[in-house]
Amino acid sequence: MEKLKDIDINAVIWKSIKNDGLNLDYTVVIPRPIANTILEELEDTLEYFAGDLARIKVFGKVHPLPRQQVAYGDPGITYTYSGTTVPALPWPAPVLALRDFLFALKGIKYDFVLVNKYRNGNDHMGEHRDNEPELDHNYPIASISLGQERDFVLKHKDARKPGKDKKDIPTVKILLEHGSILLMNPPTNEVWYHSLPVRKKLLGARINLTFRKMRIK
């Protein structure tokens, strides 16, 4: 992971994406050879949750998680979403190196990360907002993508309403590339839902790390 330190962070160019309550910054910052090395190291290092932690509750019913997942963070942190509370395991070296890279890039020291592995295009994530109360909503969620490119789809909460309350606000779609970082700045997760839809024709694996800042209790 020493190669991350060779990246000139002063030369990084961010693409800003803004709409009604939407505030995103996107860049492909990790060169492909370094991104390939990181992906291989994560594949060799990470072990994903099993058992109850590999299930999710949707509309009161429990289902197998349609992807693999694990969480890391500072001591004592847990994260609850969709009726599941996941513990933050101790930081493994390659994930800690990515956290340190984000600190060098944005000056934010994240204390928790949720790692999702999408084994192929059948693995997915449904529409949701990362607006849980234990998150510090003053900080962006930083999403690092490695491996198979996948569509990231965002939909305004008012565009999801039924009937006459529904507003005609276009969906936003971003192709998350190998070695990219997406910053979901506030108030994005209060206003917009996001998802990673099924793409059955895609065969490659993708590992996504969403770094978060938790509220101090």
Side-chain angles (χ1 to χ4, degrees), residues 124-158:
H124 62 279
M125 182 178 289
E127 288 186 349
H128 69 286
R129 291 181 292 175
D130 294 326
N131 62 345
E132 289 78 13
E134 60 260 55
L135 295 175
D136 190 330
H137 301 292
N138 295 308
Y139 292 91
I141 292 177
S143 174
I144 299 180
S145 295
L146 298 160
Q148 176 70 60
E149 296 179 350
R150 292 288 295 265
D151 291 326
F152 187 71
V153 179
L154 299 111
K155 186 177 291 186
H156 194 284
K157 63 180 183 180
D158 291 341

PDB file of all heavy atoms in Angstrom, residues 124-158:
ATOM      1  N   HIS A 124     -26.285  -7.150  -5.636  1.00  0.00           N
ATOM      2  CA  HIS A 124     -26.828  -5.802  -5.797  1.00  0.00           C
ATOM      3  C   HIS A 124     -27.127  -5.184  -4.435  1.00  0.00           C
ATOM      4  O   HIS A 124     -26.997  -5.829  -3.395  1.00  0.00           O
ATOM      5  CB  HIS A 124     -28.095  -5.841  -6.645  1.00  0.00           C
ATOM      6  CG  HIS A 124     -29.197  -6.656  -6.015  1.00  0.00           C
ATOM      7  ND1 HIS A 124     -29.236  -8.043  -6.101  1.00  0.00           N
ATOM      8  CD2 HIS A 124     -30.292  -6.306  -5.282  1.00  0.00           C
ATOM      9  CE1 HIS A 124     -30.296  -8.495  -5.464  1.00  0.00           C
ATOM     10  NE2 HIS A 124     -30.956  -7.460  -4.944  1.00  0.00           N
ATOM     11  N   MET A 125     -27.591  -3.920  -4.493  1.00  0.00           N
ATOM     12  CA  MET A 125     -28.062  -3.220  -3.287  1.00  0.00           C
ATOM     13  C   MET A 125     -29.316  -2.431  -3.659  1.00  0.00           C
ATOM     14  O   MET A 125     -29.322  -1.697  -4.656  1.00  0.00           O
ATOM     15  CB  MET A 125     -26.985  -2.285  -2.735  1.00  0.00           C
ATOM     16  CG  MET A 125     -27.404  -1.563  -1.459  1.00  0.00           C
ATOM     17  SD  MET A 125     -26.099  -0.497  -0.795  1.00  0.00           S
ATOM     18  CE  MET A 125     -24.937  -1.723  -0.210  1.00  0.00           C
ATOM     19  N   GLY A 126     -30.362  -2.599  -2.860  1.00  0.00           N
ATOM     20  CA  GLY A 126     -31.621  -1.921  -3.141  1.00  0.00           C
ATOM     21  C   GLY A 126     -31.597  -0.446  -2.749  1.00  0.00           C
ATOM     22  O   GLY A 126     -30.659   0.047  -2.113  1.00  0.00           O
ATOM     23  N   GLU A 127     -32.650   0.256  -3.126  1.00  0.00           N
ATOM     24  CA  GLU A 127     -32.749   1.692  -2.840  1.00  0.00           C
ATOM     25  C   GLU A 127     -32.787   1.956  -1.336  1.00  0.00           C
ATOM     26  O   GLU A 127     -33.569   1.335  -0.612  1.00  0.00           O
ATOM     27  CB  GLU A 127     -34.002   2.274  -3.486  1.00  0.00           C
ATOM     28  CG  GLU A 127     -33.924   2.394  -4.991  1.00  0.00           C
ATOM     29  CD  GLU A 127     -35.136   3.107  -5.559  1.00  0.00           C
ATOM     30  OE1 GLU A 127     -36.119   3.324  -4.823  1.00  0.00           O
ATOM     31  OE2 GLU A 127     -35.114   3.454  -6.752  1.00  0.00           O
ATOM     32  N   HIS A 128     -31.965   2.877  -0.883  1.00  0.00           N
ATOM     33  CA  HIS A 128     -31.938   3.237   0.536  1.00  0.00           C
ATOM     34  C   HIS A 128     -31.215   4.569   0.689  1.00  0.00           C
ATOM     35  O   HIS A 128     -30.603   5.082  -0.253  1.00  0.00           O
ATOM     36  CB  HIS A 128     -31.210   2.159   1.354  1.00  0.00           C
ATOM     37  CG  HIS A 128     -29.737   2.096   1.085  1.00  0.00           C
ATOM     38  ND1 HIS A 128     -29.216   1.563  -0.078  1.00  0.00           N
ATOM     39  CD2 HIS A 128     -28.674   2.528   1.821  1.00  0.00           C
ATOM     40  CE1 HIS A 128     -27.898   1.657  -0.054  1.00  0.00           C
ATOM     41  NE2 HIS A 128     -27.542   2.242   1.080  1.00  0.00           N
ATOM     42  N   ARG A 129     -31.294   5.111   1.896  1.00  0.00           N
ATOM     43  CA  ARG A 129     -30.518   6.302   2.249  1.00  0.00           C
ATOM     44  C   ARG A 129     -29.622   5.955   3.442  1.00  0.00           C
ATOM     45  O   ARG A 129     -30.054   5.269   4.368  1.00  0.00           O
ATOM     46  CB  ARG A 129     -31.438   7.463   2.630  1.00  0.00           C
ATOM     47  CG  ARG A 129     -32.240   8.024   1.475  1.00  0.00           C
ATOM     48  CD  ARG A 129     -33.118   9.181   1.914  1.00  0.00           C
ATOM     49  NE  ARG A 129     -34.192   8.735   2.812  1.00  0.00           N
ATOM     50  CZ  ARG A 129     -35.039   9.556   3.421  1.00  0.00           C
ATOM     51  NH1 ARG A 129     -34.926  10.867   3.259  1.00  0.00           N
ATOM     52  NH2 ARG A 129     -35.986   9.085   4.207  1.00  0.00           N
ATOM     53  N   ASP A 130     -28.395   6.419   3.408  1.00  0.00           N
ATOM     54  CA  ASP A 130     -27.498   6.248   4.553  1.00  0.00           C
ATOM     55  C   ASP A 130     -27.706   7.433   5.498  1.00  0.00           C
ATOM     56  O   ASP A 130     -26.891   8.352   5.565  1.00  0.00           O
ATOM     57  CB  ASP A 130     -26.040   6.172   4.089  1.00  0.00           C
ATOM     58  CG  ASP A 130     -25.763   4.921   3.268  1.00  0.00           C
ATOM     59  OD1 ASP A 130     -26.370   3.879   3.567  1.00  0.00           O
ATOM     60  OD2 ASP A 130     -24.962   4.991   2.328  1.00  0.00           O
ATOM     61  N   ASN A 131     -28.805   7.385   6.238  1.00  0.00           N
ATOM     62  CA  ASN A 131     -29.160   8.505   7.122  1.00  0.00           C
ATOM     63  C   ASN A 131     -29.434   8.035   8.547  1.00  0.00           C
ATOM     64  O   ASN A 131     -30.229   8.637   9.271  1.00  0.00           O
ATOM     65  CB  ASN A 131     -30.361   9.262   6.562  1.00  0.00           C
ATOM     66  CG  ASN A 131     -31.624   8.399   6.473  1.00  0.00           C
ATOM     67  OD1 ASN A 131     -31.548   7.172   6.573  1.00  0.00           O
ATOM     68  ND2 ASN A 131     -32.761   9.035   6.305  1.00  0.00           N
ATOM     69  N   GLU A 132     -28.756   6.952   8.948  1.00  0.00           N
ATOM     70  CA  GLU A 132     -28.948   6.429  10.296  1.00  0.00           C
ATOM     71  C   GLU A 132     -28.487   7.440  11.338  1.00  0.00           C
ATOM     72  O   GLU A 132     -27.546   8.212  11.099  1.00  0.00           O
ATOM     73  CB  GLU A 132     -28.171   5.110  10.451  1.00  0.00           C
ATOM     74  CG  GLU A 132     -28.767   3.950   9.677  1.00  0.00           C
ATOM     75  CD  GLU A 132     -28.454   3.986   8.200  1.00  0.00           C
ATOM     76  OE1 GLU A 132     -27.567   4.769   7.808  1.00  0.00           O
ATOM     77  OE2 GLU A 132     -29.093   3.261   7.428  1.00  0.00           O
ATOM     78  N   PRO A 133     -29.132   7.455  12.512  1.00  0.00           N
ATOM     79  CA  PRO A 133     -28.845   8.500  13.508  1.00  0.00           C
ATOM     80  C   PRO A 133     -27.432   8.455  14.070  1.00  0.00           C
ATOM     81  O   PRO A 133     -26.932   9.475  14.546  1.00  0.00           O
ATOM     82  CB  PRO A 133     -29.884   8.233  14.611  1.00  0.00           C
ATOM     83  CG  PRO A 133     -30.357   6.839  14.387  1.00  0.00           C
ATOM     84  CD  PRO A 133     -30.261   6.595  12.920  1.00  0.00           C
ATOM     85  N   GLU A 134     -26.765   7.292  14.030  1.00  0.00           N
ATOM     86  CA  GLU A 134     -25.417   7.241  14.600  1.00  0.00           C
ATOM     87  C   GLU A 134     -24.357   7.825  13.675  1.00  0.00           C
ATOM     88  O   GLU A 134     -23.198   7.998  14.076  1.00  0.00           O
ATOM     89  CB  GLU A 134     -25.028   5.813  14.992  1.00  0.00           C
ATOM     90  CG  GLU A 134     -25.011   4.809  13.860  1.00  0.00           C
ATOM     91  CD  GLU A 134     -26.259   3.969  13.840  1.00  0.00           C
ATOM     92  OE1 GLU A 134     -27.354   4.550  13.796  1.00  0.00           O
ATOM     93  OE2 GLU A 134     -26.143   2.726  13.868  1.00  0.00           O
ATOM     94  N   LEU A 135     -24.728   8.160  12.437  1.00  0.00           N
ATOM     95  CA  LEU A 135     -23.789   8.803  11.520  1.00  0.00           C
ATOM     96  C   LEU A 135     -23.707  10.297  11.799  1.00  0.00           C
ATOM     97  O   LEU A 135     -24.702  10.940  12.119  1.00  0.00           O
ATOM     98  CB  LEU A 135     -24.228   8.584  10.072  1.00  0.00           C
ATOM     99  CG  LEU A 135     -24.225   7.153   9.534  1.00  0.00           C
ATOM    100  CD1 LEU A 135     -24.816   7.124   8.127  1.00  0.00           C
ATOM    101  CD2 LEU A 135     -22.822   6.584   9.536  1.00  0.00           C
ATOM    102  N   ASP A 136     -22.509  10.847  11.660  1.00  0.00           N
ATOM    103  CA  ASP A 136     -22.337  12.294  11.758  1.00  0.00           C
ATOM    104  C   ASP A 136     -22.635  12.881  10.385  1.00  0.00           C
ATOM    105  O   ASP A 136     -21.840  12.746   9.452  1.00  0.00           O
ATOM    106  CB  ASP A 136     -20.902  12.633  12.192  1.00  0.00           C
ATOM    107  CG  ASP A 136     -20.739  14.110  12.542  1.00  0.00           C
ATOM    108  OD1 ASP A 136     -21.457  14.941  11.956  1.00  0.00           O
ATOM    109  OD2 ASP A 136     -19.881  14.439  13.387  1.00  0.00           O
ATOM    110  N   HIS A 137     -23.780  13.520  10.259  1.00  0.00           N
ATOM    111  CA  HIS A 137     -24.248  13.977   8.954  1.00  0.00           C
ATOM    112  C   HIS A 137     -23.579  15.266   8.485  1.00  0.00           C
ATOM    113  O   HIS A 137     -23.934  15.795   7.428  1.00  0.00           O
ATOM    114  CB  HIS A 137     -25.770  14.136   8.987  1.00  0.00           C
ATOM    115  CG  HIS A 137     -26.488  12.871   9.320  1.00  0.00           C
ATOM    116  ND1 HIS A 137     -26.508  11.782   8.471  1.00  0.00           N
ATOM    117  CD2 HIS A 137     -27.187  12.484  10.429  1.00  0.00           C
ATOM    118  CE1 HIS A 137     -27.200  10.794   9.018  1.00  0.00           C
ATOM    119  NE2 HIS A 137     -27.618  11.190  10.217  1.00  0.00           N
ATOM    120  N   ASN A 138     -22.602  15.755   9.249  1.00  0.00           N
ATOM    121  CA  ASN A 138     -21.838  16.921   8.818  1.00  0.00           C
ATOM    122  C   ASN A 138     -20.698  16.530   7.877  1.00  0.00           C
ATOM    123  O   ASN A 138     -20.060  17.412   7.291  1.00  0.00           O
ATOM    124  CB  ASN A 138     -21.256  17.662  10.030  1.00  0.00           C
ATOM    125  CG  ASN A 138     -22.338  18.252  10.911  1.00  0.00           C
ATOM    126  OD1 ASN A 138     -23.218  18.962  10.424  1.00  0.00           O
ATOM    127  ND2 ASN A 138     -22.284  17.968  12.201  1.00  0.00           N
ATOM    128  N   TYR A 139     -20.452  15.224   7.757  1.00  0.00           N
ATOM    129  CA  TYR A 139     -19.332  14.751   6.943  1.00  0.00           C
ATOM    130  C   TYR A 139     -19.838  13.928   5.762  1.00  0.00           C
ATOM    131  O   TYR A 139     -20.859  13.248   5.854  1.00  0.00           O
ATOM    132  CB  TYR A 139     -18.388  13.881   7.789  1.00  0.00           C
ATOM    133  CG  TYR A 139     -17.647  14.646   8.844  1.00  0.00           C
ATOM    134  CD1 TYR A 139     -18.182  14.788  10.127  1.00  0.00           C
ATOM    135  CD2 TYR A 139     -16.420  15.234   8.580  1.00  0.00           C
ATOM    136  CE1 TYR A 139     -17.502  15.493  11.112  1.00  0.00           C
ATOM    137  CE2 TYR A 139     -15.726  15.933   9.557  1.00  0.00           C
ATOM    138  CZ  TYR A 139     -16.282  16.061  10.815  1.00  0.00           C
ATOM    139  OH  TYR A 139     -15.602  16.770  11.783  1.00  0.00           O
ATOM    140  N   PRO A 140     -19.103  13.975   4.645  1.00  0.00           N
ATOM    141  CA  PRO A 140     -19.489  13.139   3.511  1.00  0.00           C
ATOM    142  C   PRO A 140     -19.205  11.670   3.772  1.00  0.00           C
ATOM    143  O   PRO A 140     -18.319  11.324   4.562  1.00  0.00           O
ATOM    144  CB  PRO A 140     -18.607  13.659   2.367  1.00  0.00           C
ATOM    145  CG  PRO A 140     -17.390  14.209   3.055  1.00  0.00           C
ATOM    146  CD  PRO A 140     -17.894  14.785   4.355  1.00  0.00           C
ATOM    147  N   ILE A 141     -19.950  10.802   3.123  1.00  0.00           N
ATOM    148  CA  ILE A 141     -19.598   9.386   3.048  1.00  0.00           C
ATOM    149  C   ILE A 141     -18.702   9.218   1.834  1.00  0.00           C
ATOM    150  O   ILE A 141     -19.046   9.668   0.730  1.00  0.00           O
ATOM    151  CB  ILE A 141     -20.856   8.507   2.936  1.00  0.00           C
ATOM    152  CG1 ILE A 141     -21.656   8.560   4.247  1.00  0.00           C
ATOM    153  CG2 ILE A 141     -20.487   7.067   2.598  1.00  0.00           C
ATOM    154  CD1 ILE A 141     -22.951   7.788   4.214  1.00  0.00           C
ATOM    155  N   ALA A 142     -17.544   8.612   2.047  1.00  0.00           N
ATOM    156  CA  ALA A 142     -16.573   8.437   0.970  1.00  0.00           C
ATOM    157  C   ALA A 142     -16.613   6.999   0.478  1.00  0.00           C
ATOM    158  O   ALA A 142     -16.372   6.060   1.245  1.00  0.00           O
ATOM    159  CB  ALA A 142     -15.170   8.795   1.458  1.00  0.00           C
ATOM    160  N   SER A 143     -16.921   6.814  -0.782  1.00  0.00           N
ATOM    161  CA  SER A 143     -17.092   5.495  -1.374  1.00  0.00           C
ATOM    162  C   SER A 143     -15.952   5.201  -2.347  1.00  0.00           C
ATOM    163  O   SER A 143     -15.806   5.890  -3.368  1.00  0.00           O
ATOM    164  CB  SER A 143     -18.446   5.438  -2.097  1.00  0.00           C
ATOM    165  OG  SER A 143     -18.611   4.240  -2.805  1.00  0.00           O
ATOM    166  N   ILE A 144     -15.145   4.186  -2.046  1.00  0.00           N
ATOM    167  CA  ILE A 144     -14.043   3.768  -2.916  1.00  0.00           C
ATOM    168  C   ILE A 144     -14.466   2.506  -3.655  1.00  0.00           C
ATOM    169  O   ILE A 144     -14.901   1.529  -3.030  1.00  0.00           O
ATOM    170  CB  ILE A 144     -12.757   3.513  -2.115  1.00  0.00           C
ATOM    171  CG1 ILE A 144     -12.304   4.798  -1.408  1.00  0.00           C
ATOM    172  CG2 ILE A 144     -11.648   2.989  -3.027  1.00  0.00           C
ATOM    173  CD1 ILE A 144     -11.029   4.623  -0.576  1.00  0.00           C
ATOM    174  N   SER A 145     -14.345   2.515  -4.982  1.00  0.00           N
ATOM    175  CA  SER A 145     -14.742   1.376  -5.805  1.00  0.00           C
ATOM    176  C   SER A 145     -13.519   0.727  -6.443  1.00  0.00           C
ATOM    177  O   SER A 145     -12.657   1.411  -7.000  1.00  0.00           O
ATOM    178  CB  SER A 145     -15.709   1.823  -6.915  1.00  0.00           C
ATOM    179  OG  SER A 145     -16.920   2.294  -6.362  1.00  0.00           O
ATOM    180  N   LEU A 146     -13.480  -0.608  -6.373  1.00  0.00           N
ATOM    181  CA  LEU A 146     -12.391  -1.379  -6.970  1.00  0.00           C
ATOM    182  C   LEU A 146     -12.984  -2.574  -7.706  1.00  0.00           C
ATOM    183  O   LEU A 146     -13.879  -3.250  -7.195  1.00  0.00           O
ATOM    184  CB  LEU A 146     -11.422  -1.858  -5.886  1.00  0.00           C
ATOM    185  CG  LEU A 146     -10.715  -0.748  -5.093  1.00  0.00           C
ATOM    186  CD1 LEU A 146     -10.186  -1.294  -3.772  1.00  0.00           C
ATOM    187  CD2 LEU A 146      -9.590  -0.144  -5.916  1.00  0.00           C
ATOM    188  N   GLY A 147     -12.492  -2.828  -8.920  1.00  0.00           N
ATOM    189  CA  GLY A 147     -12.972  -3.980  -9.669  1.00  0.00           C
ATOM    190  C   GLY A 147     -13.993  -3.606 -10.731  1.00  0.00           C
ATOM    191  O   GLY A 147     -13.917  -2.536 -11.346  1.00  0.00           O
ATOM    192  N   GLN A 148     -14.964  -4.469 -10.920  1.00  0.00           N
ATOM    193  CA  GLN A 148     -15.977  -4.324 -11.966  1.00  0.00           C
ATOM    194  C   GLN A 148     -16.705  -2.983 -11.875  1.00  0.00           C
ATOM    195  O   GLN A 148     -17.204  -2.603 -10.821  1.00  0.00           O
ATOM    196  CB  GLN A 148     -16.994  -5.455 -11.846  1.00  0.00           C
ATOM    197  CG  GLN A 148     -18.166  -5.368 -12.821  1.00  0.00           C
ATOM    198  CD  GLN A 148     -17.762  -5.629 -14.247  1.00  0.00           C
ATOM    199  OE1 GLN A 148     -17.267  -6.694 -14.552  1.00  0.00           O
ATOM    200  NE2 GLN A 148     -17.970  -4.657 -15.119  1.00  0.00           N
ATOM    201  N   GLU A 149     -16.751  -2.261 -12.990  1.00  0.00           N
ATOM    202  CA  GLU A 149     -17.528  -1.023 -13.023  1.00  0.00           C
ATOM    203  C   GLU A 149     -19.009  -1.347 -12.869  1.00  0.00           C
ATOM    204  O   GLU A 149     -19.509  -2.304 -13.448  1.00  0.00           O
ATOM    205  CB  GLU A 149     -17.295  -0.294 -14.348  1.00  0.00           C
ATOM    206  CG  GLU A 149     -15.860   0.169 -14.558  1.00  0.00           C
ATOM    207  CD  GLU A 149     -15.666   0.862 -15.889  1.00  0.00           C
ATOM    208  OE1 GLU A 149     -16.606   0.817 -16.726  1.00  0.00           O
ATOM    209  OE2 GLU A 149     -14.596   1.440 -16.109  1.00  0.00           O
ATOM    210  N   ARG A 150     -19.705  -0.541 -12.070  1.00  0.00           N
ATOM    211  CA  ARG A 150     -21.140  -0.753 -11.846  1.00  0.00           C
ATOM    212  C   ARG A 150     -21.882   0.573 -11.863  1.00  0.00           C
ATOM    213  O   ARG A 150     -21.339   1.617 -11.479  1.00  0.00           O
ATOM    214  CB  ARG A 150     -21.383  -1.443 -10.499  1.00  0.00           C
ATOM    215  CG  ARG A 150     -20.896  -2.879 -10.413  1.00  0.00           C
ATOM    216  CD  ARG A 150     -21.740  -3.860 -11.218  1.00  0.00           C
ATOM    217  NE  ARG A 150     -23.110  -3.985 -10.713  1.00  0.00           N
ATOM    218  CZ  ARG A 150     -23.504  -4.939  -9.866  1.00  0.00           C
ATOM    219  NH1 ARG A 150     -22.629  -5.828  -9.411  1.00  0.00           N
ATOM    220  NH2 ARG A 150     -24.757  -5.014  -9.480  1.00  0.00           N
ATOM    221  N   ASP A 151     -23.150   0.517 -12.282  1.00  0.00           N
ATOM    222  CA  ASP A 151     -24.013   1.696 -12.259  1.00  0.00           C
ATOM    223  C   ASP A 151     -24.449   2.001 -10.835  1.00  0.00           C
ATOM    224  O   ASP A 151     -24.895   1.114 -10.107  1.00  0.00           O
ATOM    225  CB  ASP A 151     -25.260   1.465 -13.116  1.00  0.00           C
ATOM    226  CG  ASP A 151     -24.951   1.396 -14.598  1.00  0.00           C
ATOM    227  OD1 ASP A 151     -24.036   2.095 -15.032  1.00  0.00           O
ATOM    228  OD2 ASP A 151     -25.631   0.631 -15.303  1.00  0.00           O
ATOM    229  N   PHE A 152     -24.368   3.274 -10.463  1.00  0.00           N
ATOM    230  CA  PHE A 152     -24.832   3.773  -9.170  1.00  0.00           C
ATOM    231  C   PHE A 152     -25.988   4.706  -9.475  1.00  0.00           C
ATOM    232  O   PHE A 152     -25.823   5.697 -10.203  1.00  0.00           O
ATOM    233  CB  PHE A 152     -23.688   4.504  -8.470  1.00  0.00           C
ATOM    234  CG  PHE A 152     -23.968   4.931  -7.061  1.00  0.00           C
ATOM    235  CD1 PHE A 152     -24.052   4.005  -6.037  1.00  0.00           C
ATOM    236  CD2 PHE A 152     -24.105   6.281  -6.743  1.00  0.00           C
ATOM    237  CE1 PHE A 152     -24.277   4.397  -4.726  1.00  0.00           C
ATOM    238  CE2 PHE A 152     -24.327   6.685  -5.437  1.00  0.00           C
ATOM    239  CZ  PHE A 152     -24.411   5.748  -4.429  1.00  0.00           C
ATOM    240  N   VAL A 153     -27.171   4.382  -8.967  1.00  0.00           N
ATOM    241  CA  VAL A 153     -28.388   5.102  -9.346  1.00  0.00           C
ATOM    242  C   VAL A 153     -28.944   5.856  -8.148  1.00  0.00           C
ATOM    243  O   VAL A 153     -29.113   5.285  -7.064  1.00  0.00           O
ATOM    244  CB  VAL A 153     -29.443   4.123  -9.895  1.00  0.00           C
ATOM    245  CG1 VAL A 153     -30.720   4.862 -10.277  1.00  0.00           C
ATOM    246  CG2 VAL A 153     -28.888   3.363 -11.098  1.00  0.00           C
ATOM    247  N   LEU A 154     -29.229   7.140  -8.345  1.00  0.00           N
ATOM    248  CA  LEU A 154     -29.775   7.976  -7.279  1.00  0.00           C
ATOM    249  C   LEU A 154     -31.144   8.503  -7.679  1.00  0.00           C
ATOM    250  O   LEU A 154     -31.339   8.950  -8.818  1.00  0.00           O
ATOM    251  CB  LEU A 154     -28.846   9.152  -6.980  1.00  0.00           C
ATOM    252  CG  LEU A 154     -27.440   8.780  -6.503  1.00  0.00           C
ATOM    253  CD1 LEU A 154     -26.414   9.129  -7.573  1.00  0.00           C
ATOM    254  CD2 LEU A 154     -27.084   9.496  -5.197  1.00  0.00           C
ATOM    255  N   LYS A 155     -32.088   8.448  -6.729  1.00  0.00           N
ATOM    256  CA  LYS A 155     -33.452   8.888  -6.992  1.00  0.00           C
ATOM    257  C   LYS A 155     -33.921   9.804  -5.861  1.00  0.00           C
ATOM    258  O   LYS A 155     -33.811   9.469  -4.688  1.00  0.00           O
ATOM    259  CB  LYS A 155     -34.380   7.675  -7.111  1.00  0.00           C
ATOM    260  CG  LYS A 155     -35.801   8.013  -7.527  1.00  0.00           C
ATOM    261  CD  LYS A 155     -36.639   6.759  -7.696  1.00  0.00           C
ATOM    262  CE  LYS A 155     -36.195   5.949  -8.893  1.00  0.00           C
ATOM    263  NZ  LYS A 155     -37.110   4.793  -9.153  1.00  0.00           N
ATOM    264  N   HIS A 156     -34.441  10.964  -6.238  1.00  0.00           N
ATOM    265  CA  HIS A 156     -34.947  11.939  -5.261  1.00  0.00           C
ATOM    266  C   HIS A 156     -36.131  11.338  -4.500  1.00  0.00           C
ATOM    267  O   HIS A 156     -36.957  10.620  -5.072  1.00  0.00           O
ATOM    268  CB  HIS A 156     -35.371  13.207  -5.992  1.00  0.00           C
ATOM    269  CG  HIS A 156     -35.596  14.390  -5.103  1.00  0.00           C
ATOM    270  ND1 HIS A 156     -36.729  14.523  -4.315  1.00  0.00           N
ATOM    271  CD2 HIS A 156     -34.835  15.495  -4.864  1.00  0.00           C
ATOM    272  CE1 HIS A 156     -36.668  15.664  -3.644  1.00  0.00           C
ATOM    273  NE2 HIS A 156     -35.533  16.276  -3.952  1.00  0.00           N
ATOM    274  N   LYS A 157     -36.211  11.629  -3.206  1.00  0.00           N
ATOM    275  CA  LYS A 157     -37.282  11.042  -2.383  1.00  0.00           C
ATOM    276  C   LYS A 157     -38.667  11.434  -2.887  1.00  0.00           C
ATOM    277  O   LYS A 157     -39.615  10.642  -2.779  1.00  0.00           O
ATOM    278  CB  LYS A 157     -37.110  11.449  -0.920  1.00  0.00           C
ATOM    279  CG  LYS A 157     -37.223  12.940  -0.633  1.00  0.00           C
ATOM    280  CD  LYS A 157     -37.044  13.231   0.857  1.00  0.00           C
ATOM    281  CE  LYS A 157     -37.222  14.712   1.154  1.00  0.00           C
ATOM    282  NZ  LYS A 157     -37.047  15.005   2.607  1.00  0.00           N
ATOM    283  N   ASP A 158     -38.798  12.630  -3.456  1.00  0.00           N
ATOM    284  CA  ASP A 158     -40.110  13.062  -3.949  1.00  0.00           C
ATOM    285  C   ASP A 158     -40.463  12.406  -5.280  1.00  0.00           C
ATOM    286  O   ASP A 158     -41.636  12.405  -5.674  1.00  0.00           O
ATOM    287  CB  ASP A 158     -40.145  14.587  -4.086  1.00  0.00           C
ATOM    288  CG  ASP A 158     -40.124  15.295  -2.737  1.00  0.00           C
ATOM    289  OD1 ASP A 158     -40.437  14.638  -1.725  1.00  0.00           O
ATOM    290  OD2 ASP A 158     -39.785  16.493  -2.691  1.00  0.00           O
TER     291      ASP A 158
END
